[in-house]
Amino acid sequence: MSSRGLFSNRLGFILAAAGSAVGLGNIWKFPFEVGLGGGAAFVVMYLIFAFLLCYPVMITEVAIGRKTQKNPVGAFKALGYNNWKFIGILGLIAGVVILSFYNVVAGWAFGYFVEMVQGNFAVGENFGSFTSDIFKVGIYSIIFMFFTAFFVSKGVSGGIEKLAKVLMPTLIVMILALVAYSFTLPHAMEGVIYYLVPDISKIEISTIGGALRQAFFSLSLGMGALITYGSYLSKKDNIISSATFITLADVGIAFIAGLMMFPFVAFNLGGDMSPVMAGEVGGPGLIFVTLPGVFQTLGSTLGMFIGSFFFLLLSFAALTSTVSLLEVPVSYMVDEFHIPRLRAVALVASFIFLFGIPSLIGNGYSEFFTSGFNIPGSADFMSFLGKLADIMLLFGGCCIVSFAAYIWKKENLHEELAQGYDGYHASFVKTFVNFTVSYVSPILLALLFVMVLLDNFFGISVF
Ligand code: TRP
């Protein structure tokens, strides 16, 4: 399988997979979802889901990938279950859907970096005119797609792995520096309290669904991205400990991103968090609207420095994620149709960019794509795609674990997990995986999938 390439060592895999997980989902989406979902109550649900439901799904995806050394569609075929390749096909579609809008937001982040370098703090108040300037945001998202395509075209160990090895550690250091800074601001504590002290009465069905959707998206699960990355992992490596690290890194970074954001938000609001609780402040614009004003108060030089630093960080985090999203359809075309990597990258990236145009123009420029979609809670095309992707991921995740437990059979899963982990058969982890993969994950995911589907698309709340 050497022609497909392998990660050069376990660290390369771990950093690439953690890079995929850590992205706009952690730094842009997590804080605003927490804001909308009621603060700390959401955070608690999110943590429970990440470790109880998502972690076993992650282990299963990586095991299927490494066992078959294939892309998500080829993997089901390679295991001898041709009928199940629909899971992989759905995953490919979900990946295309996600990347099409994700690249637009990544383009904004990159664009904000450029604005901050120029000292344009007013861009925050003018977020609406920024996103509707399609010439500008169009160029930014083309640039972003180009970078993504460049690193994917270099292959696994040459591009993806090298990128992640440099960016992941830098990212962590950068975020921690900003957390330290945010804590020095007036009213920081009010923000921290909103974020960390749970109000159990805030837990509603939408909080539960939202927390699960967020955990799935943030951990890059449900569409075979980790089947694909797992396919480049060597048989000598320990899947369980890798998955543990990736989950901890992703959850940890989302957590500290919140720790940075809420003091900033509280500072901006003069300590009164009620507009956040009422949903008046927040939503997808949260970081884009709030942060430039915060940076401005630092004075023009320091503000410019920290502001550019932050949006550069956000762009980096997004890049290691877009790379993983593009890698999935590209590996499919390379494996199944033997198309040269470079050509596959060019084809898929152009297609996804075009498919992203409605999201690009659906943030102010085109009336129809901005407000013509009548789904509960939002009316723009990008939110519609976000919700569509979320349910596809839940459905995919549910199918993947059910497949592994009942079709492929648990013995085979365990056998794969034991490779590279000597004491696996006698370990507690084995019992945990056995139980969650057979019962907890499939049942809860199926239930929550139905609830989120009803809630997101029909406005029906089950409770
Ligand atoms: N997890 C990434 C984030 O949090 C986004 C992402 C990358 C993703 N690859 C994925 C989400 C695959 C779902 C599936 O920003």
Side-chain angles (χ1 to χ4, degrees), residues 96-157:
V96 169
V97 168
I98 295 173
L99 186 53
S100 78
F101 71 82
Y102 199 95
N103 184 61
V104 172
V105 182
W108 295 346
F110 182 66
Y112 261 55
F113 163 65
V114 177
E115 301 290 335
M116 288 295 119
V117 169
Q118 296 166 343
N120 177 14
F121 297 109
V123 68
E125 294 146 36
N126 302 324
F127 179 59
S129 15
F130 174 84
T131 58
S132 42
D133 184 347
I134 48 148
F135 180 69
K136 222 177 188 177
V137 287
I139 300 273
Y140 289 135
S141 69
I142 290 180
I143 295 178
F144 211 91
M145 188 59 92
F146 181 81
F147 276 126
T148 306
F150 174 78
F151 284 103
V152 174
S153 72
K154 294 279 170 206
V156 174
S157 59

Side-chain angles (χ1 to χ4, degrees), residues 20-26 98 102 216-221 223 225 321 324-325 393:
S20 161
V22 175
L24 295 171
N26 305 59
I98 295 173
Y102 199 95
F216 245 73
F217 184 86
S218 184
L219 288 162
S220 301
L221 297 176
M223 57 154 278
S321 301
S324 79
L325 286 161
L393 297 180

Side-chain angles (χ1 to χ4, degrees), residues 177-188:
L178 283 168
V179 172
Y181 170 65
S182 77
F183 271 65
T184 65
L185 293 171
H187 303 295

Side-chain angles (χ1 to χ4, degrees), residues 30-52:
F30 180 73
F32 86 70
E33 293 281 2
V34 172
L36 296 176
F42 181 97
V43 181
V44 173
M45 297 305 305
Y46 167 82
L47 291 175
I48 296 176
F49 285 144
F51 290 104
L52 202 67

